PDB file of all heavy atoms in Angstrom:
ATOM      1  N   GLY A   1       0.779  -1.227   0.000  1.00 43.00           N
ATOM      2  CA  GLY A   1       0.000   0.000   0.000  1.00 43.00           C
ATOM      3  C   GLY A   1       0.804   1.265   0.000  1.00 43.00           C
ATOM      4  O   GLY A   1       0.248   2.355  -0.012  1.00 43.00           O
ATOM      5  N   PHE A   2       2.163   1.174   0.008  1.00 42.00           N
ATOM      6  CA  PHE A   2       3.000   2.378   0.137  1.00 42.00           C
ATOM      7  C   PHE A   2       2.714   3.396  -0.955  1.00 42.00           C
ATOM      8  O   PHE A   2       2.432   4.549  -0.704  1.00 42.00           O
ATOM      9  CB  PHE A   2       4.467   1.965   0.121  1.00 42.00           C
ATOM     10  CG  PHE A   2       5.426   3.106   0.318  1.00 42.00           C
ATOM     11  CD1 PHE A   2       5.073   4.205   1.066  1.00 42.00           C
ATOM     12  CD2 PHE A   2       6.695   3.051  -0.231  1.00 42.00           C
ATOM     13  CE1 PHE A   2       5.966   5.248   1.262  1.00 42.00           C
ATOM     14  CE2 PHE A   2       7.594   4.087  -0.043  1.00 42.00           C
ATOM     15  CZ  PHE A   2       7.222   5.183   0.699  1.00 42.00           C
ATOM     16  N   PHE A   3       2.791   2.948  -2.214  1.00 43.00           N
ATOM     17  CA  PHE A   3       2.526   3.854  -3.313  1.00 43.00           C
ATOM     18  C   PHE A   3       1.274   3.458  -4.083  1.00 43.00           C
ATOM     19  O   PHE A   3       1.080   3.890  -5.203  1.00 43.00           O
ATOM     20  CB  PHE A   3       3.711   3.892  -4.288  1.00 43.00           C
ATOM     21  CG  PHE A   3       4.826   4.763  -3.816  1.00 43.00           C
ATOM     22  CD1 PHE A   3       5.992   4.212  -3.322  1.00 43.00           C
ATOM     23  CD2 PHE A   3       4.721   6.133  -3.863  1.00 43.00           C
ATOM     24  CE1 PHE A   3       7.028   5.020  -2.890  1.00 43.00           C
ATOM     25  CE2 PHE A   3       5.752   6.945  -3.426  1.00 43.00           C
ATOM     26  CZ  PHE A   3       6.911   6.382  -2.943  1.00 43.00           C
ATOM     27  N   SER A   4       0.428   2.642  -3.514  1.00 41.00           N
ATOM     28  CA  SER A   4      -0.768   2.214  -4.222  1.00 41.00           C
ATOM     29  C   SER A   4      -1.790   3.330  -4.271  1.00 41.00           C
ATOM     30  O   SER A   4      -2.024   4.032  -3.298  1.00 41.00           O
ATOM     31  CB  SER A   4      -1.385   1.007  -3.509  1.00 41.00           C
ATOM     32  OG  SER A   4      -2.649   0.716  -4.039  1.00 41.00           O
ATOM     33  N   THR A   5      -2.440   3.518  -5.419  1.00 36.00           N
ATOM     34  CA  THR A   5      -3.486   4.532  -5.542  1.00 36.00           C
ATOM     35  C   THR A   5      -4.855   3.927  -5.326  1.00 36.00           C
ATOM     36  O   THR A   5      -5.853   4.631  -5.417  1.00 36.00           O
ATOM     37  CB  THR A   5      -3.455   5.174  -6.933  1.00 36.00           C
ATOM     38  OG1 THR A   5      -3.628   4.139  -7.910  1.00 36.00           O
ATOM     39  CG2 THR A   5      -2.156   5.904  -7.160  1.00 36.00           C
ATOM     40  N   THR A   6      -4.941   2.636  -5.037  1.00 33.00           N
ATOM     41  CA  THR A   6      -6.236   1.990  -4.946  1.00 33.00           C
ATOM     42  C   THR A   6      -6.619   1.627  -3.529  1.00 33.00           C
ATOM     43  O   THR A   6      -7.688   1.106  -3.294  1.00 33.00           O
ATOM     44  CB  THR A   6      -6.245   0.707  -5.795  1.00 33.00           C
ATOM     45  OG1 THR A   6      -5.226  -0.167  -5.329  1.00 33.00           O
ATOM     46  CG2 THR A   6      -6.005   1.043  -7.252  1.00 33.00           C
ATOM     47  N   SER A   7      -5.751   1.914  -2.546  1.00 32.00           N
ATOM     48  CA  SER A   7      -6.078   1.584  -1.167  1.00 32.00           C
ATOM     49  C   SER A   7      -5.958   2.819  -0.297  1.00 32.00           C
ATOM     50  O   SER A   7      -5.216   3.733  -0.574  1.00 32.00           O
ATOM     51  CB  SER A   7      -5.131   0.498  -0.637  1.00 32.00           C
ATOM     52  OG  SER A   7      -3.813   0.970  -0.600  1.00 32.00           O
ATOM     53  N   SER A   8      -6.743   2.828   0.785  1.00 32.00           N
ATOM     54  CA  SER A   8      -6.730   3.954   1.705  1.00 32.00           C
ATOM     55  C   SER A   8      -5.799   3.646   2.858  1.00 32.00           C
ATOM     56  O   SER A   8      -6.003   2.698   3.604  1.00 32.00           O
ATOM     57  CB  SER A   8      -8.144   4.221   2.237  1.00 32.00           C
ATOM     58  OG  SER A   8      -8.101   5.149   3.289  1.00 32.00           O
ATOM     59  N   LEU A   9      -4.769   4.467   3.026  1.00 31.00           N
ATOM     60  CA  LEU A   9      -3.826   4.226   4.112  1.00 31.00           C
ATOM     61  C   LEU A   9      -4.481   4.441   5.456  1.00 31.00           C
ATOM     62  O   LEU A   9      -4.110   3.824   6.448  1.00 31.00           O
ATOM     63  CB  LEU A   9      -2.616   5.149   3.955  1.00 31.00           C
ATOM     64  CG  LEU A   9      -1.636   4.745   2.861  1.00 31.00           C
ATOM     65  CD1 LEU A   9      -0.607   5.839   2.661  1.00 31.00           C
ATOM     66  CD2 LEU A   9      -0.952   3.442   3.180  1.00 31.00           C
ATOM     67  N   GLU A  10      -5.479   5.353   5.511  1.00 31.00           N
ATOM     68  CA  GLU A  10      -6.125   5.603   6.792  1.00 31.00           C
ATOM     69  C   GLU A  10      -6.895   4.370   7.258  1.00 31.00           C
ATOM     70  O   GLU A  10      -7.020   4.108   8.443  1.00 31.00           O
ATOM     71  CB  GLU A  10      -7.102   6.786   6.700  1.00 31.00           C
ATOM     72  CG  GLU A  10      -6.445   8.075   6.279  1.00 31.00           C
ATOM     73  CD  GLU A  10      -6.598   8.332   4.806  1.00 31.00           C
ATOM     74  OE1 GLU A  10      -6.522   7.381   4.021  1.00 31.00           O
ATOM     75  OE2 GLU A  10      -6.815   9.483   4.452  1.00 31.00           O
ATOM     76  N   GLU A  11      -7.464   3.620   6.294  1.00 29.00           N
ATOM     77  CA  GLU A  11      -8.337   2.520   6.662  1.00 29.00           C
ATOM     78  C   GLU A  11      -7.619   1.176   6.630  1.00 29.00           C
ATOM     79  O   GLU A  11      -8.132   0.179   7.118  1.00 29.00           O
ATOM     80  CB  GLU A  11      -9.534   2.483   5.703  1.00 29.00           C
ATOM     81  CG  GLU A  11     -10.381   3.750   5.769  1.00 29.00           C
ATOM     82  CD  GLU A  11     -11.474   3.749   4.721  1.00 29.00           C
ATOM     83  OE1 GLU A  11     -11.538   2.789   3.928  1.00 29.00           O
ATOM     84  OE2 GLU A  11     -12.267   4.698   4.707  1.00 29.00           O
ATOM     85  N   SER A  12      -6.434   1.119   6.024  1.00 29.00           N
ATOM     86  CA  SER A  12      -5.754  -0.170   5.862  1.00 29.00           C
ATOM     87  C   SER A  12      -5.146  -0.620   7.179  1.00 29.00           C
ATOM     88  O   SER A  12      -4.838   0.169   8.061  1.00 29.00           O
ATOM     89  CB  SER A  12      -4.661  -0.057   4.799  1.00 29.00           C
ATOM     90  OG  SER A  12      -3.697   0.891   5.182  1.00 29.00           O
ATOM     91  N   SER A  13      -4.983  -1.927   7.293  1.00 27.00           N
ATOM     92  CA  SER A  13      -4.330  -2.500   8.477  1.00 27.00           C
ATOM     93  C   SER A  13      -3.043  -3.144   8.009  1.00 27.00           C
ATOM     94  O   SER A  13      -2.898  -4.361   8.022  1.00 27.00           O
ATOM     95  CB  SER A  13      -5.250  -3.523   9.148  1.00 27.00           C
ATOM     96  OG  SER A  13      -5.629  -4.522   8.222  1.00 27.00           O
ATOM     97  N   LEU A  14      -2.097  -2.326   7.562  1.00 26.00           N
ATOM     98  CA  LEU A  14      -0.873  -2.836   6.974  1.00 26.00           C
ATOM     99  C   LEU A  14       0.051  -3.378   8.055  1.00 26.00           C
ATOM    100  O   LEU A  14       0.153  -2.839   9.142  1.00 26.00           O
ATOM    101  CB  LEU A  14      -0.150  -1.725   6.204  1.00 26.00           C
ATOM    102  CG  LEU A  14      -0.952  -1.063   5.086  1.00 26.00           C
ATOM    103  CD1 LEU A  14      -0.098  -0.020   4.400  1.00 26.00           C
ATOM    104  CD2 LEU A  14      -1.418  -2.097   4.081  1.00 26.00           C
ATOM    105  N   ASP A  15       0.732  -4.438   7.713  1.00 30.00           N
ATOM    106  CA  ASP A  15       1.750  -5.019   8.585  1.00 30.00           C
ATOM    107  C   ASP A  15       3.105  -4.563   8.074  1.00 30.00           C
ATOM    108  O   ASP A  15       3.484  -4.854   6.953  1.00 30.00           O
ATOM    109  CB  ASP A  15       1.650  -6.545   8.536  1.00 30.00           C
ATOM    110  CG  ASP A  15       2.624  -7.214   9.484  1.00 30.00           C
ATOM    111  OD1 ASP A  15       3.528  -6.528   9.996  1.00 30.00           O
ATOM    112  OD2 ASP A  15       2.477  -8.429   9.695  1.00 30.00           O
ATOM    113  N   ASP A  16       3.842  -3.811   8.879  1.00 34.00           N
ATOM    114  CA  ASP A  16       5.125  -3.283   8.451  1.00 34.00           C
ATOM    115  C   ASP A  16       6.121  -4.383   8.107  1.00 34.00           C
ATOM    116  O   ASP A  16       7.135  -4.125   7.476  1.00 34.00           O
ATOM    117  CB  ASP A  16       5.725  -2.376   9.531  1.00 34.00           C
ATOM    118  CG  ASP A  16       5.125  -0.988   9.492  1.00 34.00           C
ATOM    119  OD1 ASP A  16       4.495  -0.658   8.465  1.00 34.00           O
ATOM    120  OD2 ASP A  16       5.284  -0.259  10.471  1.00 34.00           O
ATOM    121  N   ASP A  17       5.870  -5.611   8.537  1.00 31.00           N
ATOM    122  CA  ASP A  17       6.795  -6.694   8.224  1.00 31.00           C
ATOM    123  C   ASP A  17       6.544  -7.272   6.838  1.00 31.00           C
ATOM    124  O   ASP A  17       7.362  -8.017   6.318  1.00 31.00           O
ATOM    125  CB  ASP A  17       6.667  -7.814   9.258  1.00 31.00           C
ATOM    126  CG  ASP A  17       7.164  -7.362  10.626  1.00 31.00           C
ATOM    127  OD1 ASP A  17       8.065  -6.502  10.657  1.00 31.00           O
ATOM    128  OD2 ASP A  17       6.647  -7.856  11.629  1.00 31.00           O
ATOM    129  N   GLU A  18       5.381  -6.956   6.232  1.00 33.00           N
ATOM    130  CA  GLU A  18       5.082  -7.452   4.905  1.00 33.00           C
ATOM    131  C   GLU A  18       5.703  -6.526   3.874  1.00 33.00           C
ATOM    132  O   GLU A  18       5.618  -5.320   3.982  1.00 33.00           O
ATOM    133  CB  GLU A  18       3.570  -7.524   4.685  1.00 33.00           C
ATOM    134  CG  GLU A  18       2.867  -8.515   5.613  1.00 33.00           C
ATOM    135  CD  GLU A  18       1.376  -8.515   5.389  1.00 33.00           C
ATOM    136  OE1 GLU A  18       0.916  -7.731   4.554  1.00 33.00           O
ATOM    137  OE2 GLU A  18       0.691  -9.302   6.064  1.00 33.00           O
ATOM    138  N   ALA A  19       6.306  -7.105   2.836  1.00 30.00           N
ATOM    139  CA  ALA A  19       6.936  -6.267   1.819  1.00 30.00           C
ATOM    140  C   ALA A  19       6.833  -6.920   0.448  1.00 30.00           C
ATOM    141  O   ALA A  19       7.809  -7.355  -0.133  1.00 30.00           O
ATOM    142  CB  ALA A  19       8.400  -6.009   2.167  1.00 30.00           C
ATOM    143  N   PRO A  20       5.618  -7.048  -0.105  1.00 28.00           N
ATOM    144  CA  PRO A  20       5.469  -7.637  -1.429  1.00 28.00           C
ATOM    145  C   PRO A  20       5.946  -6.683  -2.499  1.00 28.00           C
ATOM    146  O   PRO A  20       6.098  -5.485  -2.259  1.00 28.00           O
ATOM    147  CB  PRO A  20       3.952  -7.853  -1.533  1.00 28.00           C
ATOM    148  CG  PRO A  20       3.371  -6.780  -0.674  1.00 28.00           C
ATOM    149  CD  PRO A  20       4.330  -6.628   0.469  1.00 28.00           C
ATOM    150  N   GLU A  21       6.166  -7.198  -3.718  1.00 26.00           N
ATOM    151  CA  GLU A  21       6.572  -6.358  -4.829  1.00 26.00           C
ATOM    152  C   GLU A  21       5.366  -5.549  -5.300  1.00 26.00           C
ATOM    153  O   GLU A  21       4.338  -6.104  -5.663  1.00 26.00           O
ATOM    154  CB  GLU A  21       7.086  -7.223  -5.987  1.00 26.00           C
ATOM    155  CG  GLU A  21       8.362  -7.985  -5.659  1.00 26.00           C
ATOM    156  CD  GLU A  21       9.579  -7.089  -5.673  1.00 26.00           C
ATOM    157  OE1 GLU A  21       9.456  -5.918  -6.050  1.00 26.00           O
ATOM    158  OE2 GLU A  21      10.662  -7.559  -5.308  1.00 26.00           O
ATOM    159  N   LEU A  22       5.480  -4.242  -5.306  1.00 26.00           N
ATOM    160  CA  LEU A  22       4.416  -3.363  -5.769  1.00 26.00           C
ATOM    161  C   LEU A  22       5.019  -2.225  -6.567  1.00 26.00           C
ATOM    162  O   LEU A  22       6.192  -1.895  -6.391  1.00 26.00           O
ATOM    163  CB  LEU A  22       3.629  -2.783  -4.581  1.00 26.00           C
ATOM    164  CG  LEU A  22       2.719  -3.744  -3.818  1.00 26.00           C
ATOM    165  CD1 LEU A  22       2.112  -3.022  -2.626  1.00 26.00           C
ATOM    166  CD2 LEU A  22       1.610  -4.267  -4.724  1.00 26.00           C
ATOM    167  N   PRO A  23       4.245  -1.579  -7.446  1.00 31.00           N
ATOM    168  CA  PRO A  23       4.772  -0.443  -8.194  1.00 31.00           C
ATOM    169  C   PRO A  23       5.214   0.671  -7.247  1.00 31.00           C
ATOM    170  O   PRO A  23       4.497   0.998  -6.305  1.00 31.00           O
ATOM    171  CB  PRO A  23       3.573   0.004  -9.035  1.00 31.00           C
ATOM    172  CG  PRO A  23       2.695  -1.188  -9.123  1.00 31.00           C
ATOM    173  CD  PRO A  23       2.875  -1.912  -7.817  1.00 31.00           C
ATOM    174  N   LEU A  24       6.381   1.216  -7.510  1.00 34.00           N
ATOM    175  CA  LEU A  24       6.849   2.343  -6.703  1.00 34.00           C
ATOM    176  C   LEU A  24       6.018   3.576  -6.981  1.00 34.00           C
ATOM    177  O   LEU A  24       5.549   4.255  -6.079  1.00 34.00           O
ATOM    178  CB  LEU A  24       8.320   2.644  -7.000  1.00 34.00           C
ATOM    179  CG  LEU A  24       8.844   3.910  -6.339  1.00 34.00           C
ATOM    180  CD1 LEU A  24       8.814   3.760  -4.832  1.00 34.00           C
ATOM    181  CD2 LEU A  24      10.242   4.217  -6.802  1.00 34.00           C
ATOM    182  N   LEU A  25       5.862   3.883  -8.255  1.00 38.00           N
ATOM    183  CA  LEU A  25       5.085   5.048  -8.643  1.00 38.00           C
ATOM    184  C   LEU A  25       3.934   4.588  -9.520  1.00 38.00           C
ATOM    185  O   LEU A  25       4.073   4.446 -10.722  1.00 38.00           O
ATOM    186  CB  LEU A  25       5.960   6.052  -9.418  1.00 38.00           C
ATOM    187  CG  LEU A  25       7.137   6.612  -8.633  1.00 38.00           C
ATOM    188  CD1 LEU A  25       7.960   7.531  -9.518  1.00 38.00           C
ATOM    189  CD2 LEU A  25       6.668   7.367  -7.404  1.00 38.00           C
ATOM    190  N   ALA A  26       2.809   4.327  -8.914  1.00 36.00           N
ATOM    191  CA  ALA A  26       1.655   3.891  -9.677  1.00 36.00           C
ATOM    192  C   ALA A  26       1.150   5.028 -10.559  1.00 36.00           C
ATOM    193  O   ALA A  26       1.335   6.201 -10.246  1.00 36.00           O
ATOM    194  CB  ALA A  26       0.542   3.437  -8.725  1.00 36.00           C
ATOM    195  N   GLU A  27       0.506   4.687 -11.656  1.00 35.00           N
ATOM    196  CA  GLU A  27      -0.020   5.721 -12.537  1.00 35.00           C
ATOM    197  C   GLU A  27      -1.067   6.528 -11.791  1.00 35.00           C
ATOM    198  O   GLU A  27      -1.918   5.999 -11.096  1.00 35.00           O
ATOM    199  CB  GLU A  27      -0.633   5.091 -13.786  1.00 35.00           C
ATOM    200  CG  GLU A  27       0.391   4.445 -14.704  1.00 35.00           C
ATOM    201  CD  GLU A  27      -0.232   3.992 -16.007  1.00 35.00           C
ATOM    202  OE1 GLU A  27      -1.235   4.590 -16.420  1.00 35.00           O
ATOM    203  OE2 GLU A  27       0.284   3.045 -16.600  1.00 35.00           O
ATOM    204  N   SER A  28      -1.008   7.853 -11.955  1.00 39.00           N
ATOM    205  CA  SER A  28      -1.967   8.711 -11.282  1.00 39.00           C
ATOM    206  C   SER A  28      -3.342   8.552 -11.917  1.00 39.00           C
ATOM    207  O   SER A  28      -3.476   8.287 -13.100  1.00 39.00           O
ATOM    208  CB  SER A  28      -1.525  10.179 -11.366  1.00 39.00           C
ATOM    209  OG  SER A  28      -1.423  10.592 -12.702  1.00 39.00           O
ATOM    210  N   VAL A  29      -4.364   8.707 -11.107  1.00 38.00           N
ATOM    211  CA  VAL A  29      -5.733   8.586 -11.577  1.00 38.00           C
ATOM    212  C   VAL A  29      -6.410   9.936 -11.422  1.00 38.00           C
ATOM    213  O   VAL A  29      -6.439  10.515 -10.342  1.00 38.00           O
ATOM    214  CB  VAL A  29      -6.506   7.527 -10.750  1.00 38.00           C
ATOM    215  CG1 VAL A  29      -7.941   7.441 -11.211  1.00 38.00           C
ATOM    216  CG2 VAL A  29      -5.828   6.173 -10.870  1.00 38.00           C
ATOM    217  N   ASP A  30      -6.958  10.462 -12.520  1.00 49.00           N
ATOM    218  CA  ASP A  30      -7.647  11.752 -12.465  1.00 49.00           C
ATOM    219  C   ASP A  30      -8.987  11.570 -11.772  1.00 49.00           C
ATOM    220  O   ASP A  30      -9.785  10.723 -12.157  1.00 49.00           O
ATOM    221  CB  ASP A  30      -7.868  12.309 -13.871  1.00 49.00           C
ATOM    222  CG  ASP A  30      -6.562  12.685 -14.541  1.00 49.00           C
ATOM    223  OD1 ASP A  30      -5.643  13.124 -13.835  1.00 49.00           O
ATOM    224  OD2 ASP A  30      -6.472  12.534 -15.761  1.00 49.00           O
ATOM    225  N   GLU A  31      -9.207  12.357 -10.725  1.00 52.00           N
ATOM    226  CA  GLU A  31     -10.453  12.260  -9.973  1.00 52.00           C
ATOM    227  C   GLU A  31     -11.262  13.540 -10.099  1.00 52.00           C
ATOM    228  O   GLU A  31     -12.122  13.826  -9.275  1.00 52.00           O
ATOM    229  CB  GLU A  31     -10.139  11.976  -8.503  1.00 52.00           C
ATOM    230  CG  GLU A  31      -9.386  10.674  -8.288  1.00 52.00           C
ATOM    231  CD  GLU A  31      -8.996  10.447  -6.843  1.00 52.00           C
ATOM    232  OE1 GLU A  31      -9.086  11.420  -6.056  1.00 52.00           O
ATOM    233  OE2 GLU A  31      -8.610   9.324  -6.502  1.00 52.00           O
ATOM    234  N   MET A  32     -10.984  14.330 -11.122  1.00 54.00           N
ATOM    235  CA  MET A  32     -11.682  15.588 -11.277  1.00 54.00           C
ATOM    236  C   MET A  32     -13.115  15.350 -11.746  1.00 54.00           C
ATOM    237  O   MET A  32     -13.351  14.621 -12.707  1.00 54.00           O
ATOM    238  CB  MET A  32     -10.957  16.487 -12.287  1.00 54.00           C
ATOM    239  CG  MET A  32      -9.545  16.823 -11.879  1.00 54.00           C
ATOM    240  SD  MET A  32      -9.485  17.674 -10.290  1.00 54.00           S
ATOM    241  CE  MET A  32      -7.770  17.426  -9.865  1.00 54.00           C
ATOM    242  N   ASP A  33     -14.050  15.972 -11.062  1.00 58.00           N
ATOM    243  CA  ASP A  33     -15.453  15.890 -11.449  1.00 58.00           C
ATOM    244  C   ASP A  33     -15.633  16.634 -12.768  1.00 58.00           C
ATOM    245  O   ASP A  33     -15.316  17.821 -12.865  1.00 58.00           O
ATOM    246  CB  ASP A  33     -16.300  16.544 -10.347  1.00 58.00           C
ATOM    247  CG  ASP A  33     -17.795  16.428 -10.605  1.00 58.00           C
ATOM    248  OD1 ASP A  33     -18.171  16.066 -11.739  1.00 58.00           O
ATOM    249  OD2 ASP A  33     -18.562  16.708  -9.683  1.00 58.00           O
ATOM    250  N   PRO A  34     -16.150  15.960 -13.816  1.00 58.00           N
ATOM    251  CA  PRO A  34     -16.350  16.649 -15.097  1.00 58.00           C
ATOM    252  C   PRO A  34     -17.188  17.909 -14.959  1.00 58.00           C
ATOM    253  O   PRO A  34     -16.981  18.884 -15.682  1.00 58.00           O
ATOM    254  CB  PRO A  34     -17.070  15.589 -15.940  1.00 58.00           C
ATOM    255  CG  PRO A  34     -16.641  14.290 -15.353  1.00 58.00           C
ATOM    256  CD  PRO A  34     -16.526  14.547 -13.876  1.00 58.00           C
ATOM    257  N   ALA A  35     -18.143  17.907 -14.010  1.00 59.00           N
ATOM    258  CA  ALA A  35     -18.974  19.088 -13.809  1.00 59.00           C
ATOM    259  C   ALA A  35     -18.140  20.266 -13.307  1.00 59.00           C
ATOM    260  O   ALA A  35     -18.386  21.419 -13.679  1.00 59.00           O
ATOM    261  CB  ALA A  35     -20.104  18.775 -12.823  1.00 59.00           C
TER     262      ALA A  35
END
């Protein structure tokens, strides 16, 4: 979850001992409301 754009760090229950391979810099996702 370090650089993941799909998970909420506030709500996650991450274990600092876990270290799977994940993208360092995930692609940014535009969240701008078209309106």
Side-chain angles (χ1 to χ4, degrees):
F2 183 30
F3 280 106
S4 170
T5 58
T6 59
S7 64
S8 170
L9 285 171
E10 301 97 322
E11 298 174 358
S12 61
S13 56
L14 302 181
D15 183 347
D16 279 344
D17 292 330
E18 296 178 358
E21 295 284 354
L22 289 176
L24 173 64
L25 298 177
E27 292 187 27
S28 60
V29 178
D30 293 326
E31 299 176 347
M32 300 301 162
D33 184 347

